[in-house]
């Protein structure tokens, strides 16, 4: 592929893992220190040019992430650290990953069978950081991106399948990045609580985690630009991928709704307490379920009657759990706020007054939203597969196949009363999840015709 000319700069002591040997340079001829890198791709024309750009930017991303070892002079080291501090490196990596980076590209060069592009990247200026807010999420139904994917043979996937899957995920992540930069996601999530913007919850991170792992239906078509088999068994592929923006918008809207308006089941012993919580949560905009099986979270309420010298008090403790018993948060009232005479029906009055208080309602609402956000960051709500023993087959093989489905985690398998219950986490609802599980079940037992039916948003029956 030819050698690269070195001007003012240094060469990495350890080469980047990419489609060719990489030599990164420092250009000190301007006030802003520029990182200079070259990318090459097999072939000619626009696709080869875009692939070469993608390769060079990916090499720079790896460098900025510190995934390569390097050495240079003390002066160069100090100059680099001054202009590429941690914040600047993070901004540049984010821009490369999301496809919004502003870089300078030299004219394409032909080197043998390859097309090569030299890319210059400088530290982000204040104006550049502000201009990132001007990214527009336009009305075009699709977006095309050129990405590099890497993969090795694993979990029943060939190296090519793994590399293509990695490229698909990178493509969706880039489009999601443009969506976030444009402000479209923030506009779409206006119905969520203020806690959605807290330090503990990152809507972009949750959306990327969910959608980039489940690319089915989000990519309309793709073309291979180039590929290379590396000595360690890794295959790298450069793909030109078309992503369906409209479908991403729909999936993000579904995700926002499930997080902003979770379905709650209230578990309380005293009927008046259950009814009071039901009325309060309904007024806050939460969806309510008649059974724990159809809810994303369960509110376990403990009532404690406290008889004091002054009269009757009511202590309430509401734990936010899922169907697997995992706890995400706790809300408590202040029982000393109100004391009433120890007479019949006073508990009803106490419960009504405590949950009518605005401070208590806001604290409970915040706790529920925070709990749902924690659940999302852990991989999503706990969902269930209810299988017949014949449909379940060998539990070890079933576990392996379900584990290979992207976005599925925390799998637990239990046999009870002639059925096999599989609990797992997924941000996808039961309808989408069933589409991913059905092919795995066909592989699991090719001679057995399974029948899937979605019982509700959280349960799938397999006979």
């Amino acid at each position: 592929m030819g050698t690269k000319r070195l001007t003012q700069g240094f060469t990495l002591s350890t080469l980047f893992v990419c489609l060719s040997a990489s030599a990164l340079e420092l250009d000190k001829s301007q006030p802003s220190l520029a990182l200079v890198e070259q990318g090459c791709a097999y072939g000619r024309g626009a696709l080869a040019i875009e692939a070469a750009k993608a390769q060079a930017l990916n090499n720079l991303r790896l460098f900025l992430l510190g995934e390569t070892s390097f050495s240079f002079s003390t002066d160069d080291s100090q100059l680099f650290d001054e202009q590429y501090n941690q914040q600047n490196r993070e901004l540049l990596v984010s821009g490369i990953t999301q496809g919004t980076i502003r870089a300078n590209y030299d004219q394409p060069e032909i080197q043998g069978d390859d097309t090569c592009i030299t890319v210059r990247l400088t530290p982000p200026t204040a104006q550049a950081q502000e201009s990132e807010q001007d990214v527009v999420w336009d009305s075009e139904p699709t977006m095309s991106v050129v990405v590099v994917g890497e993969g090795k043979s694993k979990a029943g996937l060939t190296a090519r399948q793994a590399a293509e899957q990695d490229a698909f995920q990178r493509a969706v992540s880039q489009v999601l990045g443009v969506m976030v930069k444009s402000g479209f996601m923030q506009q779409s999530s206006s119905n969520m609580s203020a806690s959605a913007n807290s330090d503990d919850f990152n809507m972009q991170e949750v959306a990327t985690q969910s959608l980039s792992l489940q690319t089915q239906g989000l990519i309309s078509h793709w073309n291979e630009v180039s590929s290379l088999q590396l000595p360690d068994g890794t295959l790298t592929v450069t793909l030109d991928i078309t992503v369906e923006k409209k479908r991403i918008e729909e999936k993000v809207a579904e995700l926002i709704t499930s997080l902003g308006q979770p379905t709650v089941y209230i578990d309380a012993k005293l009927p008046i307490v259950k009814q009071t919580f039901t009325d309060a949560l309904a007024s806050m905009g939460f969806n309510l379920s008649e059974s724990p099986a159809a809810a994303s979270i369960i509110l376990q309420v403990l009532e404690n009657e406290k008889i004091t010298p002054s009269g009757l008090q009511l202590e309430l403790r509401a734990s936010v759990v899922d169907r697997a018993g995992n706890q995400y948060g706790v809300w408590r009232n202040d029982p000393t706020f109100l004391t009433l005479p120890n007479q019949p029906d006073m508990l009803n009055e106490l419960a009504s007054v405590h949950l009518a208080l605005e401070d208590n309602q806001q604290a409970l609402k915040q706790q529920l939203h925070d709990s749902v956000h924690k659940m999302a960051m852990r991989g999503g709500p706990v969902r269930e597969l209810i299988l017949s023993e014949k449909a379940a087959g060998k539990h070890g093989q079933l576990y392996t196949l379900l584990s290979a489905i992207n976005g599925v985690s925390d799998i637990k398998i239990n046999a009870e009363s002639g059925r096999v219950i599989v609990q797992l986490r997924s941000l996808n609802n039961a309808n989408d999840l069933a589409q991913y599980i059905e092919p795995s079940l066909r592989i699991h037992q090719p001679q057995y015709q399974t029948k899937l039916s979605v019982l509700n948003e959280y349960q799938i029956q397999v006979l």
Side-chain angles (χ1 to χ4, degrees):
M1 290 182 56
T3 59
K4 184 161 64 169
R5 173 175 52 86
L6 296 179
T7 55
Q8 298 182 35
F10 66 94
T11 305
L12 295 179
S13 59
T14 301
L15 301 181
F16 288 98
V17 178
C18 56
L19 300 187
S20 65
S22 170
L24 183 143
E25 304 171 13
L26 282 182
D27 184 354
K28 298 180 286 186
S29 61
Q30 301 295 325
S32 294
L33 182 68
L35 301 178
V36 183
E37 174 64 308
Q38 187 181 74
C40 297
Y42 178 81
R44 303 286 186 270
L47 285 180
I49 291 173
E50 292 303 316
K53 289 180 180 179
Q55 184 207 16
L57 287 172
N58 189 53
N59 291 343
L60 289 169
R61 180 184 67 84
L62 294 173
F63 172 77
L64 292 167
L65 285 171
E67 296 185 8
T68 56
S69 59
F70 53 91
S71 61
F72 43 88
S73 69
T74 302
D75 290 342
D76 283 347
S77 176
Q78 183 176 354
L79 183 61
F80 176 82
D81 289 340
E82 288 175 355
Q83 298 198 29
Y84 291 86
N85 56 35
Q86 184 65 32
Q87 180 182 5
N88 283 344
R89 291 199 297 270
E90 288 176 356
L91 285 170
L92 291 172
V93 169
S94 175
I96 293 172
T97 302
Q98 297 169 2
T100 59
I101 193 69
R102 288 170 171 78
N104 294 319
Y105 303 98
D106 286 0
Q107 290 297 314
E109 297 179 1
I110 303 301
Q111 297 184 10
D113 294 330
D114 299 326
T115 298
C116 297
I117 294 286
T118 297
V119 179
R120 284 175 170 78
L121 197 61
T122 56
T125 62
Q127 292 87 347
Q129 294 179 34
E130 291 175 0
S131 65
E132 287 185 354
Q133 305 303 319
D134 299 330
V135 177
V136 177
W137 183 259
D138 57 38
S139 59
E140 292 297 320
T142 63
M143 179 179 292
S144 294
V145 293
V146 177
V147 295
V148 178
E150 299 179 352
K152 290 184 178 181
S153 299
K154 60 177 182 178
L157 296 177
T158 64
R160 175 165 293 277
Q161 290 171 330
E164 290 173 352
Q165 190 176 84
D166 180 52
F168 296 156
Q169 293 172 7
R170 290 176 186 272
V172 172
S173 294
Q174 283 193 23
V175 175
L176 278 167
V178 175
M179 188 181 195
V180 172
K181 290 294 183 183
S182 70
F184 183 90
M185 189 176 292
Q186 286 80 355
Q187 297 167 17
S188 301
S189 61
S190 59
N191 66 322
M192 293 188 65
S193 71
S195 63
N197 296 317
S198 69
D199 293 337
D200 296 329
F201 182 71
N202 186 315
M203 184 63 200
Q204 178 187 355
E205 186 176 345
V206 172
T208 302
Q209 176 187 346
S210 174
L211 302 187
S212 65
L213 290 177
Q214 295 289 0
T215 58
Q216 184 175 337
L218 302 180
I219 292 172
S220 55
H221 62 272
W222 53 274
N223 296 310
E224 181 176 312
V225 177
S226 62
S227 64
L228 183 72
Q229 184 73 54
L230 299 178
D232 65 352
T234 299
L235 179 70
T236 63
V237 293
T238 302
L239 305 181
D240 180 21
I241 299 174
T242 300
V243 181
E244 294 289 331
K245 290 168 56 181
K246 185 65 176 177
R247 183 58 180 148
I248 284 184
E249 290 178 8
E250 293 171 354
K251 297 288 282 184
V252 167
E254 292 172 6
L255 183 61
I256 288 172
T257 299
S258 68
L259 295 177
Q261 297 175 310
T263 304
V264 183
Y265 172 74
I266 300 169
D267 181 11
K269 291 181 180 179
L270 293 176
I272 185 60
V273 171
K274 182 168 185 175
Q275 187 59 51
T276 304
F277 268 92
T278 298
D279 294 342
L281 293 181
S283 68
M284 297 178 202
F286 289 93
N287 297 316
L288 298 171
S289 170
E290 298 273 336
S291 70
S296 58
I297 54 178
I298 300 167
L299 199 63
Q300 291 182 340
V301 184
L302 296 179
E303 310 99 338
N304 182 24
E305 303 175 35
K306 302 181 71 173
I307 300 176
T308 71
S310 302
L312 185 65
Q313 296 177 351
L314 178 62
E315 181 180 27
L316 298 172
R317 183 183 187 275
S319 300
V320 184
V321 302
D322 59 26
R323 60 170 48 82
N326 301 302
Q327 182 172 301
Y328 301 93
V330 176
W331 171 84
R332 294 181 178 88
N333 72 329
D334 178 7
T336 64
F337 174 79
L338 181 63
T339 303
L340 295 178
N342 187 12
Q343 299 175 0
D345 296 329
M346 284 299 107
L347 279 179
N348 297 355
E349 190 69 24
L350 284 168
S352 298
V353 172
H354 275 290
L355 286 180
L357 291 173
E358 184 176 353
D359 287 348
N360 280 345
Q361 287 196 4
Q362 290 300 319
L364 178 58
K365 183 177 182 179
Q366 183 74 30
Q367 189 60 245
L368 286 168
H369 275 299
D370 286 347
S371 297
V372 174
H373 300 157
K374 290 176 184 177
M375 183 187 298
M377 297 304 289
R378 293 184 190 179
V382 173
R383 306 184 193 273
E384 291 180 342
L385 299 181
I386 306 171
L387 302 98
S388 66
E389 290 183 342
K390 287 186 177 180
K394 296 181 179 179
H395 293 188
Q397 181 178 326
L398 177 64
Y399 181 94
T400 300
L401 287 169
L402 293 176
S403 299
I405 299 175
N406 284 325
V408 168
S409 61
D410 290 353
I411 300 172
K412 295 180 176 63
I413 301 179
N414 294 296
E416 55 182 56
S417 305
R419 302 180 305 172
V420 176
I421 308 297
V422 179
Q423 291 184 330
L424 52 83
R425 289 189 187 274
S426 175
L427 282 165
N428 291 287
N429 61 38
N431 285 311
D432 289 342
L433 190 58
Q435 296 179 28
Y436 306 130
I437 289 175
E438 189 171 19
S440 296
L441 293 178
R442 287 201 298 267
I443 296 173
H444 180 44
Q445 295 191 92
Q447 303 304 319
Y448 183 79
Q449 188 68 33
T450 57
K451 296 180 180 179
L452 274 73
S453 58
V454 176
L455 302 181
N456 51 58
E457 190 177 348
Y458 305 98
Q459 290 183 310
I460 302 170
Q461 187 177 64
V462 185
L463 299 176

